[in-house]
Amino acid sequence: MIREHRFLLTATILSGFSAVSAPGFGQWVHYEKKNVPRLPDGKVNMTGTRPNLPSRKVQTSKMLAAAQKEFDAPMQNNMLNDPKVRCLPNGVPHANTEPYPFEIIHTPEKTLILYEMYSLRRQVFTDGRKLPQDIKQFTPTWMGYSVGRWEGDEFVVDTTGFNDRVWPIDMGAHPSSDALFVTERFKRVDFGHMDLNVTIDDPKTYESKWTQPYRYTLLPDTDLLEFICENNPSPMHMVGK
């Protein structure tokens, strides 16, 4: 199981549309954790045996015409309308693609995902509840509504019920609609590494489903830091076209 460990996105993000390089940020508080495999010199054995608890080929989908127009506009405007400019949440799966760490904590009936960036948090319910078939039953939110289950050694999370302000869904600026349905498959490869395969299903935006793989590296002897974003009151003064 992925228990109370912190993961930071590594430098290589594979994308069906583009390749993104994500640098590491910040200085981390150091505190040596228990139950961590270590080498004789005290360093963490990142390739050690994973706790009890392979990447997939990328599948891409062509954007629908209206979505392509939406995708092209911000790229030509230096991302001026990106919600991050106004300290707004990233949404899912974008929150997993930023170069900031996040923490996964399992409890008997829910899994919590805590993000350092914007101090966001997600609840993934594992108590057997199902997502409603009609998304209109939800009050739309930035992070959506999530339920999770174990399939072998993969933790599978389904999320939907997003508002229409969630944009973009990743650092590649890909758009989405209120019909977005996200499936995340988390897999602990070894002690220090985790793979995540994200499937995007949005019939209002893409012709078919597409899958995006990510690789994360454990930060074993640290904790999340406070993150404050000061809202820019004058976005019109920022660089754009």
Side-chain angles (χ1 to χ4, degrees):
M1 296 177 67
I2 309 171
R3 291 188 181 276
E4 300 188 21
H5 288 309
R6 289 77 171 166
F7 292 89
L8 175 66
L9 194 62
T10 56
T12 302
I13 307 173
L14 300 178
S15 171
F17 298 94
S18 62
V20 182
S21 178
F25 283 74
Q27 296 180 349
W28 312 109
V29 176
H30 182 78
Y31 179 81
E32 289 194 359
K33 305 294 183 179
K34 298 179 180 179
N35 302 318
V36 173
R38 298 186 184 274
L39 300 171
D41 61 2
K43 294 181 179 179
V44 176
N45 182 2
M46 298 296 282
T47 59
T49 303
R50 66 183 181 183
N52 292 329
L53 257 152
S55 77
R56 301 181 178 181
K57 188 176 181 180
V58 179
Q59 301 173 356
T60 62
S61 177
K62 186 179 180 180
M63 290 186 199
L64 300 177
Q68 184 67 53
K69 182 178 180 180
E70 181 181 351
F71 172 74
D72 292 338
M75 301 303 287
Q76 296 171 0
N77 199 33
N78 295 334
M79 303 294 287
L80 179 61
N81 295 321
D82 191 323
K84 290 197 296 292
V85 173
R86 296 163 181 80
C87 298
L88 296 175
N90 287 319
V92 177
H94 193 165
N96 297 333
T97 69
E98 292 286 348
Y100 292 86
F102 58 93
E103 181 178 5
I104 300 176
I105 304 176
H106 289 291
T107 71
E109 296 189 345
K110 70 173 65 172
T111 291
L112 302 177
I113 305 180
L114 309 179
Y115 298 92
E116 183 171 285
M117 191 172 189
Y118 299 131
S119 299
L120 294 173
R121 63 108 172 104
R122 292 174 65 190
Q123 298 184 99
V124 180
F125 292 96
T126 55
D127 55 4
R129 71 182 68 185
K130 305 295 182 182
L131 293 173
Q133 295 296 316
D134 184 0
I135 61 174
K136 294 181 180 179
Q137 297 182 39
F138 290 111
T139 298
T141 67
W142 288 91
M143 303 299 285
Y145 297 81
S146 300
V147 297
R149 63 190 182 279
W150 285 97
E151 293 185 1
D153 59 359
E154 288 189 328
F155 185 55
V156 183
V157 179
D158 293 327
T159 306
T160 192
F162 300 98
N163 63 36
D164 59 4
R165 301 177 67 191
V166 176
W167 175 91
I169 59 173
D170 58 17
M171 292 184 71
H174 297 106
S176 64
S177 74
D178 59 359
L180 176 65
F181 192 99
V182 179
T183 299
E184 300 161 286
R185 305 185 75 93
F186 298 83
K187 182 176 180 178
R188 192 75 172 269
V189 179
D190 53 27
F191 185 82
H193 302 91
M194 182 178 74
D195 283 346
L196 170 61
N197 285 283
V198 180
T199 298
I200 301 299
D201 183 4
D202 188 347
K204 292 184 179 180
T205 308
Y206 303 97
E207 291 183 348
S208 61
K209 300 178 183 179
W210 55 280
T211 299
Q212 170 75 67
Y214 300 91
R215 165 62 64 92
Y216 298 86
T217 298
L218 178 69
L219 294 175
D221 294 325
T222 187
D223 290 290
L224 300 178
L225 299 179
E226 183 179 55
F227 187 102
I228 303 298
C229 181
E230 183 177 2
N231 191 14
N232 186 344
S234 302
M236 71 287 296
H237 295 153
M238 299 184 70
V239 176
K241 294 183 180 179

